[in-house]
Amino acid sequence: MVYFDEQSSLNIKLEAQLKTSLTGLVQRGCDSLGIFQAMLLQIDDETVNVLVKASSAYPPSFKSIPSFSSCVSVDNCFPANSAKASSAFKQWFATYFNGEKYIRGRIHNLDGNRVCLVFINACPAQSINLEKVALLDDWLNVMIEKFHVEKAETNQNTLYDKLQSVANIGTWEVDFTTNVLTWSSQTRRIHEVDDDFIPSLETAVGFYKEGFDRGEISRIVSHTVETGEPWSATLELVSAKGNSVWIETHGMAEMKQGKCVRLFGTCQNVNKSVQLRLELDARRKEAEAASKERGMLLSRISHELKTPLNGITGMLQAIKFENKDNVRIRKADIALHSADRLLSLINDVLDYTSIINGEFSLNYSDFCVRSLAEDIVDEFKNKCSDKGVRLYAVLSFDDNTYVNGDAARISQVITNLLSNAVKFTAKGYISIQVTLKQQGDIPILLASVEDTGVGMSDDILSRIFRPFQNDTDSASEELNGNGLGLSIVNQLVGKMGGELEVRSNVGKGTCFDVAIPIEMATLEETANEDVEISSELLTVPINILVVDDNDINRLVLASMLERFNYVPDEADNGEVAVEMARAKRYDLIFMDCAMPVLDGMSATKIIMQEGLLSKYGRVVAVTANTTAEDKISCSEAGMADFLSKPVVQSDVTAQVRTALNAKSITA
């Protein structure tokens, strides 16, 4: 079969085996380097001929290409890689090969012609790529040498010598009539022994790694000596220089009258391929473990979601048929409590996912650390009181102590630790201590949460910061499944450069200690005040539009506005909102972003472009998407502010007050 193009200068008939081997080599190179095109080129003075391509779908499209220059040195007419190439050569290469980067292999002599491997879009700046190309060159060299040997019909000894030298294959022989072991020069190189080293069967076995490998080679040698059956095995040996080397060993026996008189065989250094296989196996096991862990996590999250969902749906169904007001209120409270639990779990899942995916970032600002701590303590006073548990709080800093940090995440850390303490403490007390300590020039925020709850065993402590890793033997749903809270706490403290420690004794309680480095605020800020609207402002009439495709979301916003006796108009998508804005001048529009028919940002752009608002009207985004990119997109669409779902009364009140102030000034 004519393998190379008839028009090329080689025009050589190669065996089908060589064709398959070369094609496989080029394709294996693509797979190893993570690229789509590689080829074997023949370089002449006038032309570059494409002998083998990994893919016919990618350039070059021609079998023969004009050389870049007529030079005796290949490095001048085809540099070793794109980093060493001139601008002119890069332009030539891009024209015919449609690539910016490449790595060229060594120049090989194939039947008197210069050939080389070229890997398109392989980055030469990565040393691992150069090492892989060198290995592929060695492989190609073996193929070419084997081809030359076969073509020239050289004797078997020449073939063995070349293969040993190029492929790192050594030979050996044991003559039992003289009890002499002979090693070839390549076998000596594999074992890293001196030229004057005299091997014996015992010392050869002693090179194999102690344990399984040494025992296995002893077993298979004995078996072959007794039965005459050949062996083949991949084992690890330790060279004379102490280096670990994986070899592939093959052995055969020469039997006379049922007795072994000679053993002979080969050993090949396969260290790189075995190490690669072991690395791939390790990565596969890691991927399988990660996949299994993700599956278990999703299963656990699904289970956790069902509990609050059951509380919500069950109570709402019961409310439909409940006539007693007090019972209906109680069931509504249960549904709201379940909704809070569901929202908390969803937020935890979102936080945990963003952290492990590397999408999490901290938002630093100045805040009053005492106010933050007092708000957290106030939140937990009633929870502890309801359980009959005493709550002690020690806040060791002044009222006007301002620091710079991520207030929301610091609050989340302390809140999660207190929530955990409340959940697992049925009697006794819970204490929280928060203070500032100077460590050198760095202020450290110290928080300690201690309880007299059920405590944890050493087994639980070893996995307490992994998702859903509490006492699985507990029959109580309340005491089983800490969820993602502590895992998030551990991740957040690490992100803020802090430390987290836990001490616990079963039946005696648990103590969490947190240390977070912060900075003192450069400017003091006044304490936040509750958002209020004066009665005078409330006399100003304003037109409000609530836009959301979800009936419940519109109802929630309408209920918050009813507090000020405002009844908003409603629209269930952006297109309806635009038509309503064309018919009526609105002073304030609460606009959902993700809606069918026409989304909120597109609707806002139309409203702003057509000037449909009142003179000082404003559009406020109300959305569950709270990333920095989302806020930028809302601002670019013309939205004046941004509220994240679920909305709270104070945020809505602030937006109403802003709209009232703007209209009262212009009235």
Side-chain angles (χ1 to χ4, degrees):
M1 175 183 291
V2 178
Y3 179 51
F4 295 110
D5 184 5
E6 290 289 342
Q7 299 302 317
S8 84
S9 60
L10 281 180
N11 195 20
I12 300 173
K13 293 184 178 181
L14 295 177
E15 297 291 338
Q17 182 179 357
L18 180 59
K19 173 183 177 180
T20 303
S21 299
L22 289 174
T23 304
L25 171 64
V26 173
Q27 186 59 56
R28 181 68 64 87
C30 286
D31 296 340
S32 176
L33 293 167
I35 58 177
F36 295 103
Q37 182 65 296
M39 60 201 71
L40 181 66
L41 300 180
Q42 178 220 342
I43 301 177
D44 290 337
D45 290 341
E46 301 296 331
T47 60
V48 174
N49 300 304
V50 181
L51 305 182
V52 178
K53 286 202 307 183
S55 173
S56 60
Y58 293 93
S61 304
F62 306 99
K63 292 285 187 178
S64 185
I65 300 168
S67 292
F68 172 71
S69 64
S70 298
C71 301
V72 176
S73 172
V74 176
D75 285 336
N76 290 331
C77 67
F78 207 120
N81 57 64
S82 53
K84 299 180 179 180
S86 64
S87 299
F89 181 86
K90 290 180 180 179
Q91 180 62 42
W92 174 85
F93 187 86
T95 300
Y96 290 103
F97 295 89
N98 193 28
E100 296 180 357
K101 301 176 182 177
Y102 73 88
I103 298 176
R104 171 179 64 75
R106 299 197 305 269
I107 300 301
H108 301 268
N109 186 320
L110 178 59
D111 204 33
N113 296 278
R114 297 177 298 180
V115 299
C116 62
L117 294 168
V118 175
F119 302 90
I120 297 178
N121 287 327
C123 181
Q126 298 180 5
S127 59
I128 185 64
N129 288 344
L130 300 177
E131 294 174 2
K132 290 178 179 179
V133 171
L135 290 175
L136 292 166
D137 263 326
D138 289 342
W139 191 356
L140 174 61
N141 202 39
V142 172
M143 294 180 184
I144 293 176
E145 289 295 334
K146 185 173 181 294
F147 168 75
H148 286 161
V149 169
E150 290 177 344
K151 185 174 181 181
E153 296 181 349
T154 57
N155 59 57
Q156 194 68 22
N157 289 333
T158 303
L159 176 62
Y160 284 159
D161 289 342
K162 287 185 177 292
L163 287 176
Q164 286 188 63
S165 176
V166 176
N168 211 352
I169 299 176
T171 61
W172 55 267
E173 178 183 351
V174 180
D175 188 341
F176 285 112
T177 60
T178 60
N179 203 29
V180 173
L181 171 61
T182 304
W183 278 357
S184 70
S185 59
Q186 190 63 29
T187 302
R188 291 176 176 274
R189 282 193 288 270
I190 291 174
H191 287 76
E192 295 184 323
V193 297
D194 296 333
D195 292 339
D196 58 354
F197 178 78
I198 300 175
S200 66
L201 188 59
E202 291 75 18
T203 57
V205 170
F207 277 102
Y208 287 85
K209 186 176 181 180
E210 187 176 2
F212 170 80
D213 298 271
R214 189 177 299 176
E216 182 66 8
I217 193 65
S218 299
R219 184 192 67 79
I220 58 180
V221 168
S222 298
H223 180 75
T224 299
V225 169
E226 293 175 3
T227 65
E229 296 179 2
W231 82 71
S232 177
T234 301
L235 299 171
E236 187 177 8
L237 59 79
V238 179
S239 73
K241 295 183 179 180
N243 296 319
S244 176
V245 182
W246 284 94
I247 67 164
E248 186 174 300
T249 174
H250 299 272
M252 297 183 68
E254 181 181 340
M255 309 292 288
K256 289 186 178 180
Q257 298 178 350
K259 183 178 180 181
C260 179
V261 296
R262 187 168 71 102
L263 285 176
F264 60 94
T266 63
C267 62
Q268 181 180 15
N269 185 332
V270 292
N271 205 51
K272 290 183 179 179
S273 61
V274 171
Q275 292 292 352
L276 179 60
R277 188 181 74 240
L278 293 175
E279 183 180 349
L280 291 175
D281 287 343
R283 291 183 179 180
R284 176 181 56 80
K285 291 178 180 178
E286 289 177 2
E288 290 175 351
S291 177
K292 182 179 179 181
E293 185 172 346
R294 281 195 299 269
M296 294 175 63
L297 179 60
L298 288 173
S299 176
R300 185 63 182 174
I301 289 174
S302 176
H303 172 77
E304 292 291 322
L305 288 171
K306 290 177 181 178
T307 300
L309 275 174
N310 183 60
I312 295 170
T313 57
M315 289 301 99
L316 291 178
Q317 291 174 11
I319 288 173
K320 289 174 62 177
F321 306 102
E322 183 57 60
N323 295 322
K324 296 179 180 179
D325 289 343
N326 60 334
V327 177
R328 185 167 61 252
I329 292 173
R330 174 59 179 160
K331 291 179 178 179
D333 288 340
I334 295 174
L336 289 171
H337 175 75
S338 298
D340 290 340
R341 169 65 185 140
L342 179 61
L343 177 61
S344 175
L345 180 58
I346 291 173
N347 287 335
D348 282 348
V349 171
L350 293 175
D351 281 343
Y352 181 78
T353 303
S354 66
I355 291 172
I356 63 175
N357 288 340
E359 301 169 353
F360 174 82
S361 61
L362 298 170
N363 297 314
Y364 290 94
S365 62
D366 293 345
F367 65 95
C368 177
V369 65
R370 186 177 185 89
S371 295
L372 179 141
E374 287 178 343
D375 289 344
I376 295 172
V377 171
D378 289 342
E379 178 184 348
F380 282 89
K381 282 181 178 178
N382 291 334
K383 295 180 180 180
C384 290
S385 178
D386 292 342
K387 294 191 69 172
V389 176
R390 296 187 301 276
L391 176 63
Y392 300 113
V394 179
L395 310 179
S396 304
F397 28 70
D398 298 333
D399 292 343
N400 60 348
T401 303
Y402 283 84
V403 299
N404 182 269
D406 193 325
R409 297 308 180 181
I410 293 174
S411 175
Q412 187 175 1
V413 167
I414 300 174
T415 298
N416 281 1
L417 292 179
L418 278 172
S419 296
N420 195 63
V422 172
K423 179 185 293 185
F424 293 98
T425 304
K427 60 181 180 179
Y429 68 87
I430 296 172
S431 71
I432 173 173
Q433 300 182 51
V434 186
T435 186
L436 284 173
K437 182 179 180 181
Q438 200 76 14
Q439 191 176 59
D441 296 332
I442 302 175
I444 305 294
L445 179 65
L446 301 176
S448 179
V449 177
E450 183 179 0
D451 65 63
T452 57
V454 296
M456 291 175 282
S457 65
D458 291 340
D459 177 58
I460 295 297
L461 282 174
S462 67
R463 49 191 172 89
I464 190 63
F465 297 121
R466 287 157 54 190
F468 301 111
Q469 292 290 329
N470 262 341
D471 190 357
T472 54
D473 295 330
S474 175
S476 170
E477 184 72 22
E478 182 67 19
L479 297 181
N480 185 18
N482 181 57
L484 295 166
L486 289 181
S487 178
I488 292 174
V489 166
N490 188 44
Q491 297 275 3
L492 289 176
V493 172
K495 286 283 186 180
M496 291 185 284
E499 296 179 359
L500 174 63
E501 293 182 356
V502 57
R503 306 184 304 277
S504 186
N505 290 305
V506 176
K508 295 183 179 180
T510 302
C511 181
F512 287 91
D513 295 316
V514 179
I516 300 173
I518 56 174
E519 294 181 2
M520 302 308 295
T522 55
L523 296 174
E524 290 190 355
E525 298 183 358
T526 58
N528 292 331
E529 299 178 353
D530 291 336
V531 180
E532 296 180 354
I533 302 176
S534 66
S535 56
E536 182 180 354
L537 267 182
L538 289 174
T539 60
V540 177
I542 58 173
N543 296 323
I544 304 175
L545 174 62
V546 174
V547 187
D548 200 301
D549 60 310
N550 187 286
D551 295 343
I552 296 176
N553 291 340
R554 296 199 304 273
L555 178 61
V556 168
L557 270 170
S559 299
M560 292 180 177
L561 294 169
E562 285 177 2
R563 174 180 177 183
F564 309 110
N565 296 321
Y566 291 120
V567 179
D569 295 333
E570 298 182 13
D572 59 5
N573 63 62
E575 187 175 283
V576 174
V578 171
E579 292 302 322
M580 294 180 69
R582 285 170 177 160
K584 184 177 181 179
R585 295 283 177 176
Y586 288 101
D587 304 294
L588 178 60
I589 299 179
F590 291 100
M591 181 75 74
D592 183 27
C593 290
M595 294 182 293
V597 185
L598 186 66
D599 63 84
M601 283 181 282
S602 299
T604 301
K605 289 179 181 179
I606 296 173
I607 291 172
M608 300 305 293
Q609 289 170 359
E610 296 185 11
L612 303 180
L613 294 174
S614 63
K615 186 175 182 180
Y616 287 96
R618 50 198 276 114
V619 179
V620 177
V622 183
T623 177
N625 300 321
T626 59
T627 65
E629 292 77 8
D630 294 320
K631 293 181 180 180
I632 292 173
S633 298
C634 291
S635 178
E636 291 176 348
M639 296 178 175
D641 212 335
F642 187 101
L643 298 184
S644 61
K645 292 180 180 178
V647 295
V648 295
Q649 181 68 60
S650 59
D651 289 341
V652 174
T653 302
Q655 295 299 330
V656 173
R657 186 175 65 180
T658 300
L660 289 171
N661 280 327
K663 190 165 186 178
S664 64
I665 293 173
T666 59

